[in-house]
Amino acid sequence: MAKKSQKPDSASIPQTTGNAGETHQRAGGSAELLTTDQGIPVADNQNSLKIGARGPVLLEDFVLREKITNFDHERIPERVVHARGFGAHGYFQPHKSHAKLTRAAFLQDPGVKTPVFVRFSTVAGSEGSPDLARDVRGFAVKFYTSEGNYDLVGNNIPVFFIQDAMKFPDLIHAVKPEPDRGFPQAASAHDTFWDFVSLMPESTHMLLWAMSDRAIPRSFRMMEGFGVHTFRLVNAKGVATLVKFHWRPKLGTFSVIWDEAVKINGADSDFHRRDLWDAIQAGDFPEWELSVQAFSEEEAAEFDFDVLDPTKLIPEEVVPLTPLGTMVLNRTVDNFFAETEQVAFCPANVVPGIEFSNDPLLQGRLFSYLDTQLSRLGSPNFHELPINRAHSPVQNQQRDGHMRTTLQPGRIAYEPNSLDPSQARESVERGFTSFPAAEAGDKMRIRPESFADHYSQARLFYNSLTEPEQRHVVGAFAFELGKCEVLAVRKRMLGRLALVDQELCDHVADALGMPGQAEKLKPAVPARDLPPSPALSQYLKAPQSIEGRKLAILVTDGADEKLIAALKRAAKAEGAVVMVVAPKVGGFTTAGGEEMPADFALNAAPSVLFDAVVVAPSEAGVEALLKTAAAVDWVRDAFGHLKAVAYTTAAEPLLAAAGVQPEADEGVVSLKSRDGLAKFITAAKRHRLWDREPQVR
Ligand code: HDE
């Protein structure tokens, strides 16, 4: 940054001539002096250096060349997976000391807040792909602890598609755009994906999750997170406990409906980013509780699945959650590239007291992430970037390399040495030691027999969902397989579904118009019936609340300002916000003659962007809305997406045009009666009126 002393007197900054011959006022007043990257003051940032006004540009124009060179190299390779992401800063604070479980420093003292950086992401799409693609979401947390960085690099789904790292490149090649045609972008709904997964029985459980509502979350703030693999916590006495990590959002876990997701992608492809940004900027800081399912090796040996198999979960009814602490995200990034893009997560970044298991997928990941950072960030010194730098001291004899920024003084870059007694040394007491797990066996490429049951937990998941959630799974399979051109792929996948649940298979086959066409497949281990796990359903544990939600009111000139104010008050009391949508963003005039600004113009804010809506035009205003497709769609979609809809008497013709009966159900609330607003808020707290769904889809 330019030093204050370099700032010239504004009067000395000349005016220069822009392209169109118009005069640009040069920066003056408090503006800093523009310089090149070498700190050389720039006199003209509009014109390249030429011979004569119409002559050739000179090679010696170092200002132009530096500016263009920097621009040419602005992009770095996007992540090969999880390219589309959004991050925020915050802190983690344990509820109490967890010394019994682990010696990890950040889990010892409830008074200590550990800074964190979190990056949420989709997996398949490129950096510029839309937020509401049907996809798994990454949920990666970097804890800057007093003993170095700990990265918990998880997803919003507790299981994964494959059991062995060997298959990851195949999985990703299958889901990414097909290599000859370069499409589809950010979509699993195509032949190569379904061809691959229908040939991989181990993917079946994860496919049910990926086709469930979990893959189209309402908000990053309303997503669960999972470490997926089994990890090992080790306490100061060297006693180990196996764990699975869980993040639970304070606002509850919610999703949108597929038709909404499709429309949100068009209306605001940055929906999730904007939602997190807006919430944090407004001081409405999202929170998650971190918990573990803790169990011993002996207990693990009793489970009817292998805890090293990442396609399996442990039902909470079998091992309940032990809460560890709270994470709060309270600061947006200052620079997206420097922080969100350059952050480098790695599951191998663990601190003393947290260790790996032999999960073969995890073991592969321990290699992959450092390797990918070398190609993406271009240097082994990526750990020196501010976002990646440990907050605890980093001192060792590693030196040099591309773009090393720390200045390491002194003569000594080796250990042991006798010339500098102050050099960093290892410590058996304080250093990271590995749990001495006994390992023995023949060297071989093999999948354990204990990984062979691919259907029981898939069936458990499906049977643990509520009816609407099951309907959505069927709808998603039908949509995705419907996009597959190769008949054999559809038949094979139907065959796979039949091994999970015959009814599920029949519903999907019906929806595809392919009854009885499932390929007959023989499972290695047939599905067993397991007791349902209600904790796997989002809606069974959904809080009845509109906290953190966005409501909207559609108004026109002549709208009732008292109603707008009352709605805002009621929403605020519940922790929600209200957006005013009017025909024009410039605003409208209320019934009382007040000029009011709008938050959005109607054509820029379809109702898919909101959680519940109020339709409140004036009698004169509704006439114009009846002739506006966006207004009719606004109401039709809100109803079709099962949202609470409140309306004034003047709005009734618009409801009729949208095919919505007055007081059609508990979620369609007339504001005629005094308690209308309260009824609307109560309906909105249900998130969606599921009973309406069979009527609209
Ligand atoms: Fe990743 N994964 N992954 N992954 N992963 C990456 O690392 C990889 C897996 C996850 O916001 C890459 O820096 C392999 C499971 C998240 O920056 C790469 C295997 C889970 C993120 C990579 C897996 C994840 C990544 C791409 C199978 C959930 C985004 C860029 C052996 C538990 C982190 C990068 C962020 C990113 C490799 C499987 C989560 C290429 C080889 C399972 C959240 O290194």
Side-chain angles (χ1 to χ4, degrees):
M1 202 205 275
K3 288 204 187 98
K4 287 269 184 283
S5 61
Q6 291 176 316
K7 202 188 294 173
D9 176 350
S10 62
S12 73
I13 304 176
Q15 291 193 339
T16 55
T17 304
N19 245 357
E22 288 176 23
T23 302
H24 290 258
Q25 183 61 50
R26 298 294 74 234
S30 63
E32 299 280 357
L33 173 63
L34 184 75
T35 73
T36 67
D37 282 345
Q38 301 296 330
I40 299 160
V42 174
D44 184 340
N45 192 31
Q46 320 302 321
N47 303 295
S48 48
L49 187 63
K50 305 179 195 77
I51 309 262
R54 301 177 60 243
V57 174
L58 296 184
L59 202 55
E60 76 169 57
D61 187 352
F62 61 89
V63 180
L64 173 71
R65 276 193 294 114
E66 183 197 83
K67 188 172 178 181
I68 298 281
T69 304
N70 189 87
F71 170 76
D72 288 346
H73 297 267
E74 272 175 14
R75 291 287 96 78
I76 59 172
E78 66 173 31
R79 289 164 174 79
V80 55
V81 283
H82 296 266
R84 170 104 183 145
F86 199 66
H89 295 271
Y91 64 85
F92 173 82
Q93 193 166 17
H95 297 318
K96 59 178 186 124
S97 168
H98 300 289
K100 262 193 191 156
L101 271 177
T102 175
R103 62 182 276 218
F106 76 104
L107 289 169
Q108 304 302 308
D109 182 350
V112 172
K113 286 184 181 177
T114 297
V116 298
F117 184 74
V118 178
R119 185 175 179 275
F120 301 110
S121 49
T122 50
V123 178
S126 289
E127 224 254 276
S129 56
D131 275 351
L132 267 154
R134 174 175 292 285
D135 201 350
V136 186
R137 297 299 183 285
F139 192 130
V141 184
K142 191 180 280 295
F143 298 78
Y144 303 92
T145 88
S146 60
E147 287 185 328
N149 289 351
Y150 168 50
D151 292 355
L152 181 49
V153 195
N155 278 345
N156 76 327
I157 288 179
V159 291
F160 201 65
F161 291 101
I162 48 169
Q163 295 174 322
D164 193 300
M166 191 66 123
K167 298 312 297 169
F168 192 65
D170 298 297
L171 168 72
I172 299 305
H173 289 171
V175 73
K176 282 274 183 181
E178 299 185 11
D180 55 351
R181 59 209 69 186
F183 60 83
Q185 177 58 246
S188 52
H190 57 120
D191 285 293
T192 57
F193 176 73
W194 288 99
D195 180 34
F196 175 75
V197 292
S198 64
L199 291 166
M200 294 286 293
E202 71 205 54
S203 299
T204 313
H205 184 193
M206 177 67 167
L207 285 173
L208 280 152
W209 284 82
M211 294 303 112
S212 79
D213 294 341
R214 301 270 179 164
I216 40 173
R218 157 65 181 84
S219 157
F220 292 140
R221 300 176 293 137
M222 298 167 199
M223 270 179 4
E224 290 183 353
F226 303 90
V228 177
H229 316 281
T230 295
F231 290 87
R232 190 182 265 128
L233 298 184
V234 184
N235 69 17
K237 292 189 181 128
V239 179
T241 310
L242 298 177
V243 293
K244 291 267 194 191
F245 287 105
H246 294 247
W247 292 106
R248 278 280 154 85
K250 183 177 155 230
L251 297 177
T253 315
F254 291 101
S255 293
V256 298
I257 289 169
W258 176 242
D259 185 61
E260 259 182 299
V262 170
K263 290 174 176 164
I264 290 172
N265 281 338
D268 182 5
S269 58
D270 302 303
F271 187 73
H272 282 154
R273 294 183 165 195
R274 196 185 308 282
D275 170 274
L276 187 64
W277 176 271
D278 285 352
I280 297 178
Q281 291 279 332
D284 183 8
F285 302 141
E287 281 183 36
W288 285 260
E289 183 165 69
L290 177 66
S291 299
V292 285
Q293 288 177 294
F295 50 98
S296 63
E297 294 269 8
E298 293 71 34
E299 284 167 310
E302 296 299 309
F303 298 149
D304 51 8
F305 55 89
D306 196 326
V307 296
L308 300 185
D309 173 357
T311 69
K312 304 297 186 298
L313 53 82
I314 308 180
E316 283 171 46
E317 291 75 8
V318 177
V319 180
L321 302 192
T322 305
L324 298 184
T326 303
M327 175 171 78
V328 177
L329 296 184
N330 59 6
R331 185 159 64 86
T332 50
V333 295
D334 291 318
N335 183 287
F336 179 85
F337 178 83
E339 301 176 82
T340 309
E341 196 56 17
Q342 292 200 119
V343 67
F345 291 95
C346 178
N349 292 350
V350 288
V351 290
I354 302 182
E355 297 191 33
F356 319 116
S357 69
N358 287 349
D359 175 338
L361 193 66
L362 174 60
Q363 293 283 324
R365 294 181 71 204
L366 300 181
F367 159 75
S368 172
Y369 288 64
L370 177 57
D371 184 46
T372 214
Q373 308 311 351
L374 292 177
S375 98
R376 205 168 65 79
L377 296 166
S379 152
N381 290 319
F382 66 84
H383 64 278
E384 294 192 343
L385 293 169
I387 193 67
N388 295 324
R389 201 178 288 157
H391 290 198
S392 56
V394 174
Q395 41 214 11
N396 56 42
Q397 287 81 21
Q398 276 136 230
R399 289 291 183 275
D400 307 346
H402 200 225
M403 294 291 171
R404 171 72 72 165
T405 57
T406 48
L407 198 155
Q408 295 160 302
R411 210 175 156 189
I412 308 302
Y414 58 92
E415 195 276 340
N417 76 78
S418 64
L419 303 188
D420 181 1
S422 71
Q423 280 266 318
R425 295 283 153 90
E426 72 223 356
S427 157
V428 178
E429 292 75 39
R430 293 172 53 203
F432 183 94
T433 49
S434 296
F435 181 76
E439 305 288 358
D442 299 336
K443 193 193 287 182
M444 53 187 156
R445 293 183 188 276
I446 197 168
R447 203 65 70 89
E449 272 304 310
S450 52
F451 283 25
D453 176 358
H454 304 306
Y455 304 107
S456 298
Q457 285 212 353
R459 186 187 186 99
L460 162 71
F461 175 65
Y462 185 67
N463 287 332
S464 301
L465 298 181
T466 57
E467 216 183 294
E469 289 171 298
Q470 288 185 336
R471 278 201 298 269
H472 301 163
V473 170
V474 170
F477 271 111
F479 173 86
E480 300 256 325
L481 294 175
K483 291 249 183 181
C484 293
E485 293 161 10
V486 181
L487 190 60
V489 169
R490 284 190 226 147
K491 288 183 174 176
R492 193 188 310 130
M493 197 56 226
L494 285 174
R496 210 55 81 198
L497 293 182
L499 299 178
V500 176
D501 185 285
Q502 189 58 50
E503 243 180 65
L504 165 66
C505 169
D506 292 346
H507 286 316
V508 176
D510 269 356
L512 287 169
M514 295 176 59
Q517 293 189 46
E519 189 181 328
K520 274 249 157 309
L521 299 172
K522 199 172 152 1
V525 178
R528 284 165 304 122
D529 273 320
L530 300 170
S533 166
L536 297 181
S537 157
Q538 291 192 92
Y539 300 122
L540 284 178
K541 58 184 181 196
Q544 299 251 323
S545 159
I546 52 167
E547 199 185 335
R549 298 312 181 95
K550 230 179 223 178
L551 315 183
I553 181 164
L554 177 59
V555 297
T556 59
D557 281 338
D560 178 359
E561 61 267 57
K562 284 195 236 74
L563 173 63
I564 300 172
L567 176 67
K568 286 191 171 175
R569 269 196 311 276
K572 195 171 175 202
E574 300 284 347
V577 291
V578 176
M579 296 286 142
V580 176
V581 179
K584 293 185 181 164
V585 73
F588 61 104
T589 310
T590 66
E594 200 185 321
E595 297 283 325
M596 255 199 186
D599 294 300
F600 292 107
L602 173 60
N603 62 7
S607 61
V608 286
L609 301 182
F610 310 105
D611 293 289
V613 300
V614 176
V615 196
S618 65
E619 259 174 47
V622 82
E623 293 305 320
L625 293 186
L626 285 169
K627 292 185 211 125
T628 309
V632 179
D633 286 349
W634 210 81
V635 178
R636 193 197 326 260
D637 268 356
F639 181 78
H641 298 144
L642 319 180
K643 291 171 185 172
V645 180
Y647 60 97
T648 56
T649 310
E652 281 176 16
L654 188 59
L655 261 72
V660 179
Q661 300 291 324
E663 303 190 278
D665 58 36
E666 282 175 47
V668 183
V669 183
S670 163
L671 294 173
K672 239 184 286 176
S673 69
R674 270 216 196 151
D675 59 349
L677 213 47
K679 274 191 184 154
F680 166 69
I681 298 286
T682 306
K685 285 182 180 177
R686 289 167 62 179
H687 177 64
R688 292 288 190 270
L689 290 112
W690 297 116
D691 300 345
R692 194 189 291 163
E693 195 165 38
Q695 183 191 326
V696 292
R697 255 182 294 283

